[in-house]
């Protein structure tokens, strides 16, 4: 860790201001005291700010990015944003290093962060796994190593991250509740399908949905919340099994990946009238589902901006010392149907 002026002052038994005047050769100070402070600073390994700035000019800035669920269709838009940011920042001499996580796994994410540390990144943008180890690790980066952190898509409480870029997921869950409440006229049963129960994003969407249903549509019953691991086959199995074994299903909400499984299940079941369906993310497959009348609405969270903005926020902070000015930079909650794709 870098030696501070305060540490030198404590060691020399003088005030911080005295050390500052000695090292910067300004103000009235006994020459012998000034010489002693300068020698002590050198022994302790103090690096003057002017030298730090000079060294940083010759050092290429590196920004690390850690994602989750790399194979999900939603990540196509996130990665498109990251790619565009990489092209723009490359012109400024800033390198982006991407570590893609396959699942929502703390071990996998810890390894990715440690690899970026070894590569000497100066800032980190991350879709964090909500767990204590990641929380401790991120606080270690920001507090001990002075590496600024921006979270995006998913957030994590209890950290010193600079800001969060992404959807207000609890509010989006309430939006989904409003849509299904209106479509069903507040009657029947709703099947809720999530991805991973360890995924903070999915959990917030489900929490917001259930909260709003209970508040505004008390006659709508939640017919279970099922985890699909973002797998199409698992979504298909959940929908098929629930529709066969539970009567009165009037709506289905899928807050995560694998949404194509809904259409597959409907094809097998050959329903005279399908339930209303709300899904997430404007991807090519989901657009097709809207056009084919397999689903009614999708809620899009602008993945492109989520990938594009965090590297630029870190670049502005590292190069110009400019912070984003607010803690939460929420993307729009866009409601899409077949008519406004």
């Amino acid at each position: 860790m870098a030696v501070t002026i305060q540490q030198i002052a404590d060691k020399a038994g003088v005030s911080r201001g005295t050390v500052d005047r000695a090292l910067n050769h300004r103000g009235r100070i006994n020459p012998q005291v000034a010489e002693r402070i300068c020698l002590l600073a050198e022994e302790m390994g103090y690096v003057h700010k002017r030298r730090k700035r000079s060294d940083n000019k010759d050092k290429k800035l590196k920004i690390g990015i850690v994602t989750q669920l790399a194979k999900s269709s939603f990540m196509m838009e996130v990665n498109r944003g990251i790619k565009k940011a990489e092209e723009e920042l490359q012109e400024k001499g800033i390198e982006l290093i991407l570590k893609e996580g396959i699942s929502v796994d703390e071990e996998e994410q810890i390894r990715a962060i440690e690899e970026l540390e070894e590569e000497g990144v100066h800032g980190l943008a991350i879709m964090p796994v909500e767990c204590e180890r990641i929380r401790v690790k991120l606080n270690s980066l920001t507090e001990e190593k002075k590496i600024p952190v921006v979270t995006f898509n998913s957030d994590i409480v209890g950290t010193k991250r600079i800001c969060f870029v992404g959807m207000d997921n609890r509010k989006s869950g309430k939006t989904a509740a409003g849509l299904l409440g209106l479509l069903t006229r507040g009657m029947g049963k709703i099947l809720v399908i999530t991805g991973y129960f360890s995924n903070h994003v999915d959990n917030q969407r489900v929490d917001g949905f259930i909260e709003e249903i209970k508040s505004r549509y008390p006659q709508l019953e939640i017919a279970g919340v099922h985890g699909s691991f973002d797998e199409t086959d698992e979504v298909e199995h959940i929908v098929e099994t629930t529709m066969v074994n539970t009567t009165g299903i009037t709506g289905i909400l899928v807050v995560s990946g694998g949404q194509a499984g809904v259409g597959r299940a409907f094809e097998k079941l050959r329903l005279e009238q399908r339930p209303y369906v709300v899904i997430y993310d404007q991807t090519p497959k989901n657009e097709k589902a809207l056009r084919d009348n397999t689903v009614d609405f999708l809620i899009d969270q602008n993945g492109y901006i989520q990938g594009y903005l965090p590297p630029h926020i870190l670049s502005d902070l590292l190069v110009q010392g400019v912070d984003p000015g607010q803690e939460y930079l929420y993307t729009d909650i866009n409601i899409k149907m077949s008519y406004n794709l």
Side-chain angles (χ1 to χ4, degrees), residues 167-179 201 204-206 208-209 253 278 280 299-301 333:
M167 180 184 275
D168 184 336
N169 286 292
R170 181 176 288 273
K171 185 180 284 187
S172 82
K174 291 185 175 187
T175 302
L179 288 171
V201 170
Q204 285 203 312
R205 291 173 181 175
V206 172
F209 179 81
L253 171 67
V278 174
Y280 272 78
I299 298 174
D300 185 60
Q301 57 181 312
I333 299 173

Side-chain angles (χ1 to χ4, degrees), residues 251-312:
I252 296 174
L253 171 67
V254 186
V255 303
S256 56
Q259 301 100 322
V262 176
R264 286 190 195 173
F266 288 169
E267 285 180 13
K268 280 187 178 180
L269 292 165
R270 299 184 180 277
L271 303 168
E272 288 185 13
Q273 184 174 353
R274 66 166 177 81
Y276 294 105
V277 182
V278 174
I279 60 176
Y280 272 78
D281 301 325
Q282 188 171 352
T283 65
K285 285 184 180 178
N286 289 347
E287 288 181 353
K288 185 177 186 302
L290 277 177
R291 292 192 178 98
D292 292 345
N293 195 36
T294 302
V295 305
D296 299 286
F297 291 100
L298 68 79
I299 298 174
D300 185 60
Q301 57 181 312
N302 205 331
Y304 175 84
I305 290 297
Q306 293 184 28
Y308 176 83
L309 201 54
H312 279 284

Side-chain angles (χ1 to χ4, degrees), residues 41-57:
E42 188 175 344
E43 289 172 6
M44 293 175 69
Y46 175 75
V47 180
H48 198 281
K49 285 182 181 178
R50 281 195 296 269
R51 207 175 97 202
K52 285 181 184 175
R53 283 195 290 267
S54 176
D55 290 345
N56 285 337
K57 285 180 181 177

